[in-house]
Amino acid sequence: MSQKINGVKGMNDLLPGEIEVWQFVESTARTLFGRFGYGEVRTPMVEDTALFVRSVGEETDIVGKEMYTFEDKGGRSLSLRPEGTAPAARAYIEHSVSNQEPVSRWFYMGPMFRYERMKTGRYRQFYQIGAEAYGAKEPAQDAELMDVVVQFLEALGLTDVTLNINSLGDDNCRPAYHAKLVEYLNAHREELCADCQQRLERNPLRVLDCKNEKCQAVAAAGPNVLEFLCEPCRAHFTDLQRKLGVLGIKYVVNHRLVRGLDYYTRTVFEFIASHPALGTASTVGGGGRYDKMMKGLGGPDVPAVGFAMGLDRLVLLLKEGGKTFTPRPDLFIAVADEGSQDAGLALASRLRREGLKVDFDTRGGSLKSQMKRADKSGARFTLVLGEQERQSGQAKLKPMAGGEPIPVALDSVAATVRAQPEAPAAAPAS
Ligand code: HAM
């Protein structure tokens, strides 16, 4: 026997039965983001490696340790995208969008790739739904963006999620905070992991999001970034909080929130769920402002703010909710005899054209076995088609949740099914 080939570790298959939850999240996002004026952008899954080095940052875990980087046949260094913000910014610059419209709102959804240690809610191919707003530096834009996430989570029925916010300051005030942080971390150098001892030299902020417990303990007692904000950054952060109040959005100020990417200035935020299903992967989404990134990538001086939600994690939470997302068939057509098989096939085809979701057992077989399958399918009604029904043009719709059969003319099945009020779904037999 040939040896079986398995999928790549950390990369999951999504099969019918589960995919409906994903589709629900995706379609909810499309509808809601559309209401806020966000248009969809699709960028390639592979980019020039330099794009991520120059935006996400060389010293981050994402670029330093987790990227899938390879050389193509032309000798170029390419990487599977680990996130969507830098590719969207690259496209924004490349297509000179800022010349066409002063403020642009984009969203995207799709797979991202990070070579991470796997656990529940953390995968090597995972999916993000993200949004980016370009061209507005005002706190109202940050607040509006957080409102998108809040309304998105509401629409999904996910309420047990806390918004954490912080400000990381800007080029004006961050150096003083850096200096204080380096001084503090140097005093605790021996307690830090080997990686962080190096980060301390090159990018001290990254020590704050090291996953090592000892480093986290040191970071927790470190200087508070908010105490170092310059007046404009403080005013921006204060006004953001006021605007969140105007929108009735609840939040917690968390001065330890730094995020794992280098491009942020001022506002950063994370949405954290408190559900055991996620284990330690409790951050369902995060984002922030990145007013300097466009220029750093050779583009115009355009401020921006955005977020990305982890679709895998949202799906885990929704599956815990126990709701079913798979639409059940309206009708199961069973045939009473072999001679009715073609008529059954044709009737199913016609009803699908008329808009019904119809299940039909192409294998035929005994009526008993077809009825078992009808039970399992979870269909609302079953219609048995035999010689008598074909001759008379009349049949019966059997409600699978119980109740009296409903007489129906074969040429008005779709209308009759539609006219029946929806009863609670019959539990499919296991
Ligand atoms: P991030 O925090 O790296 O931010 O990722 C956003 C979300 O993606 C996380 O909160 C998490 O839910 C999900 N996620 C990240 N890594 C994994 C993984 N290995 N497995 C499953 N889910 C994961 C960004 O990527 C930024 N681009 C967000 C942003 C947009 N900032 C500004 N604009």
Side-chain angles (χ1 to χ4, degrees), residues 102-404:
V103 174
S104 308
R105 293 177 171 90
W106 288 4
F107 79 90
Y108 49 85
M109 48 180 83
M112 309 290 161
F113 304 84
R114 295 182 194 175
Y115 193 81
E116 288 209 73
R117 191 166 301 169
M118 282 171 44
K119 52 182 175 179
T120 306
R122 182 175 297 155
Y123 311 107
R124 291 180 177 169
Q125 174 171 329
F126 61 99
Y127 295 78
Q128 283 187 344
I129 297 186
E132 316 287 345
Y134 306 107
K137 61 180 185 330
E138 287 71 19
Q141 189 58 62
D142 309 36
E144 184 207 79
L145 196 86
M146 292 181 206
D147 195 28
V148 175
V149 184
V150 168
Q151 292 202 30
F152 178 46
L153 293 170
E154 266 170 27
L156 295 177
L158 298 174
T159 46
D160 212 1
V161 181
T162 308
L163 168 61
N164 279 232
I165 62 170
N166 193 20
S167 175
L168 299 179
D170 62 8
D171 288 350
N172 188 27
C173 52
R174 207 184 294 174
Y177 169 65
H178 264 218
K180 193 77 187 167
L181 184 65
V182 170
E183 187 188 315
Y184 167 80
L185 291 175
N186 265 321
H188 293 81
R189 197 185 178 88
E190 299 309 313
E191 296 155 61
L192 300 175
C193 72
D195 277 354
C196 279
Q197 294 192 3
Q198 287 200 347
R199 287 181 183 127
L200 182 49
E201 311 296 332
R202 287 145 69 173
N203 193 346
L205 213 59
R206 292 281 69 84
V207 175
L208 304 187
D209 55 55
C210 176
K211 286 156 196 153
N212 181 303
E213 272 179 25
K214 275 192 180 167
C215 300
Q216 281 182 359
V218 172
N224 179 345
V225 64
L226 294 174
E227 287 167 8
F228 290 82
L229 295 185
C230 59
E231 206 33 53
C233 286
R234 189 187 310 279
H236 193 278
F237 194 50
T238 305
D239 199 23
L240 166 63
Q241 292 177 68
R242 203 184 56 75
K243 290 201 157 53
L244 291 176
V246 167
L247 293 172
I249 295 175
K250 293 201 181 70
Y251 62 90
V252 174
V253 175
N254 173 1
H255 74 85
R256 281 189 231 139
L257 182 68
V258 288
R259 312 263 306 123
L261 307 97
D262 276 354
Y263 47 61
Y264 295 116
T265 46
R266 294 189 167 168
T267 313
V268 286
F269 59 93
E270 276 182 358
F271 283 82
I272 299 170
S274 59
H275 198 290
L278 293 180
T280 53
S282 56
T283 307
V284 290
R289 183 161 274 290
Y290 49 99
D291 293 344
K292 301 284 169 213
M293 188 171 108
M294 290 287 188
K295 222 169 163 206
L297 289 174
D301 195 4
V302 170
V305 58
F307 70 81
M309 308 295 289
L311 193 40
D312 307 71
R313 296 182 188 178
L314 295 175
V315 166
L316 277 174
L317 287 176
L318 284 170
K319 287 206 302 206
E320 283 297 309
K323 217 171 120 187
T324 54
F325 293 88
T326 311
R328 54 190 178 140
D330 298 302
L331 182 68
F332 189 99
I333 297 175
V335 291
D337 48 68
E338 227 184 295
S340 301
Q341 179 75 1
D342 286 354
L345 184 68
L347 179 62
S349 168
R350 172 162 65 78
L351 293 177
R352 289 170 185 143
R353 189 166 282 126
E354 289 170 18
L356 289 195
K357 181 170 159 70
V358 180
D359 202 346
F360 174 68
D361 196 339
T362 46
R363 298 167 304 176
S366 72
L367 186 56
K368 197 170 155 208
S369 68
Q370 292 177 67
M371 291 312 281
K372 263 196 197 158
R373 174 112 201 272
D375 261 346
K376 268 200 174 165
S377 76
R380 288 181 67 203
F381 299 99
T382 296
L383 183 153
V384 178
L385 192 65
E387 199 179 339
Q388 193 197 326
E389 285 79 12
R390 287 194 281 128
Q391 298 289 330
S392 64
Q394 297 290 322
K396 288 199 174 105
L397 290 174
K398 179 179 176 239
M400 299 306 279
E404 287 300 304

Side-chain angles (χ1 to χ4, degrees), residues 13-41:
D13 299 311
L14 304 170
L15 306 183
E18 182 184 6
I19 200 79
E20 290 79 4
V21 192
W22 292 74
Q23 289 166 341
F24 167 68
V25 180
E26 288 163 3
S27 66
T28 305
R30 280 180 207 287
T31 308
L32 194 83
F33 293 8
R35 274 185 212 159
F36 280 82
Y38 286 75
E40 184 170 354
V41 55

